[in-house]
Amino acid sequence: MNDDTPDSAQELADVLQDVRRHLLWQEETAGRSLLVDAKVAAELQQQRAAASSVRSMIARTKAPEPAAAPPPPRPPPESPTRDALHAAMKQPLGAPRPLAAPPPAAPPRAPLAASRPLASDAPAPGMLLDVPRSTPRYNGALPGVVEGERPTLDQIRRELGDCRRCKLCTGRKNIVFGSGNPRADLVFVGEGPGENEDLQGVPFVGAAGDLLTKMIGAMGFTRNDVYIANVVKCRPPGNRNPEPDEIAACEPFLRSQLLAIQPKVIVALGKFAAQTLLRDTTPITRMRGQWREYEGIQLMPTFHPAYLLRNSAEKRKAWEDLQQVMKLFGKHPGAGA
């Protein structure tokens, strides 16, 4: 009989007692069975408890997610047999242990519904966002427009009436509707009336108006050949810039005027005219001199005459812009304004 083989209950009990005293059976979540020293096992247990506490704290700060089905219960580990204990005792420390079969992978979660708006709903870059985009189009809802018919300027003016649609009405003396040829091929659109325009009820009079008249003459036209209008029809107090709600109130009438006239070319004088018609916030210094399109009509942005009076060095650039308009009409450039 081999003395090294325990063949009695007492010898087996001694082996088990020795194992309990020096070793602790640990089963890791990855399925690996380890035999570790009792002191090390106690330290690992404390670290695991601390990590679990931190994970719980982080989980509480996260946004709640849809509840997932609980995983199937895991079968409890089997108690080690006597042969397994002896094999573990004889195996040298640090030797690799066989791995248990890995747990089945959890099914993938369905992606959460998107919470951001679609790209088509987002405003396009460069749009003039401060002007409401709900302005009615040429479908019968515009002032003075009968569906399917081309309005006249007289119809639009009657529809405008003694306008009280925005706060500019409280300080005006006259509504400055527009003037010129009602069937003009060339239309000039400015920003709004100034003091002289407000007094006379005519767009572009005074110093800025005199300069515009010279520019029109240098192009080979007269004021009776073209039509002149503004984005807003009433003078902003102190000649300040028109505000978004004021533009929104007046813009339908400007668009109705352009529909009635149906010109071949629009010259937008200054940033407010260009940005309002094109819905583009590009600065006029970068927009000017480049052909754009408004409702199928060629549009040339350029500087406002009032700006040119303050910055005479920019007159050359404005004249270059107007020369492009002249070429479209087949006119030979003259001496300039």
Side-chain angles (χ1 to χ4, degrees):
M1 185 174 183
N2 189 346
D3 293 337
D4 295 334
T5 303
D7 55 358
S8 67
Q10 182 60 42
E11 291 176 334
L12 180 58
D14 292 340
V15 172
L16 291 175
Q17 183 65 22
D18 186 68
V19 170
R20 291 191 187 98
R21 186 169 53 252
H22 297 289
L23 301 173
L24 177 67
W25 186 269
Q26 285 289 107
E27 181 180 7
E28 296 294 324
T29 55
R32 182 191 298 265
S33 296
L34 298 176
L35 292 174
V36 297
D37 184 80
K39 181 178 179 181
V40 176
E43 294 176 354
L44 290 175
Q45 188 68 20
Q46 293 176 358
Q47 294 174 3
R48 188 175 295 106
S52 177
S53 176
V54 173
R55 285 194 296 269
S56 300
M57 186 183 304
I58 294 174
R60 287 195 297 270
T61 63
K62 293 182 179 179
E65 295 185 356
R74 187 171 183 178
E78 298 181 358
S79 300
T81 63
R82 185 180 67 177
D83 294 338
L85 288 173
H86 282 293
M89 289 290 294
K90 293 181 179 181
Q91 191 170 7
L93 292 177
R97 268 68 173 180
L99 293 177
R109 288 190 302 177
L112 296 177
S115 59
R116 296 188 216 172
L118 297 177
S120 59
D121 297 332
M127 297 302 290
L128 194 61
L129 299 179
D130 54 356
V131 176
R133 300 200 59 193
S134 58
T135 302
R137 304 305 295 270
Y138 309 146
N139 57 3
L142 276 174
V145 177
V146 178
E147 186 173 3
E149 295 183 5
R150 179 179 177 180
T152 67
L153 292 174
D154 287 341
Q155 289 174 327
I156 300 168
R157 182 63 186 89
R158 285 196 299 270
E159 180 70 23
L160 179 61
D162 184 27
C163 184
R164 302 283 169 179
R165 294 170 176 84
C166 78
K167 58 184 177 294
L168 291 181
C169 67
T170 59
R172 72 165 183 242
K173 291 183 172 57
N174 287 293
I175 293 176
V176 183
F177 181 70
S179 66
N181 183 354
R183 291 292 182 264
D185 289 333
L186 177 60
V187 171
F188 291 84
V189 177
E191 173 183 320
E195 182 180 8
N196 292 306
E197 289 83 359
D198 181 46
L199 291 172
Q200 301 181 38
V202 180
F204 280 93
V205 294
D210 291 342
L211 179 56
L212 179 60
T213 301
K214 292 179 182 179
M215 294 164 65
I216 293 172
M219 295 175 68
F221 296 94
T222 68
R223 285 184 66 126
N224 292 329
D225 297 325
V226 304
Y227 192 86
I228 304 173
N230 284 306
V231 172
V232 295
K233 310 303 183 189
C234 300
R235 179 195 179 193
N239 291 340
R240 64 161 170 77
N241 293 331
E243 297 176 353
D245 61 316
E246 298 161 358
I247 294 175
C250 246
E251 182 186 13
F253 294 97
L254 172 62
R255 292 180 180 270
S256 294
Q257 287 174 292
L258 296 174
L259 176 63
I261 299 168
Q262 295 186 7
K264 293 180 180 178
V265 177
I266 299 170
V267 175
L269 300 169
K271 72 174 184 178
F272 280 95
Q275 292 180 354
T276 298
L277 290 176
L278 298 176
R279 287 292 194 274
D280 189 341
T281 57
T282 302
I284 189 64
T285 53
R286 288 167 43 197
M287 194 189 303
R288 56 146 292 271
Q290 302 179 33
W291 281 110
R292 303 291 292 271
E293 187 174 297
Y294 164 80
E295 300 291 338
I297 302 171
Q298 294 295 306
L299 186 148
M300 174 58 68
T302 192
F303 295 122
H304 194 283
Y307 172 81
L308 297 176
L309 290 175
R310 300 190 303 268
N311 302 272
S312 59
E314 303 285 23
K315 287 184 178 180
R316 179 181 58 81
K317 295 179 181 178
W319 177 235
E320 292 173 354
D321 302 340
L322 298 180
Q323 284 180 317
Q324 294 191 60
V325 177
M326 295 170 61
K327 290 179 182 178
L328 190 145
F329 283 105
K331 291 182 175 291
H332 182 70

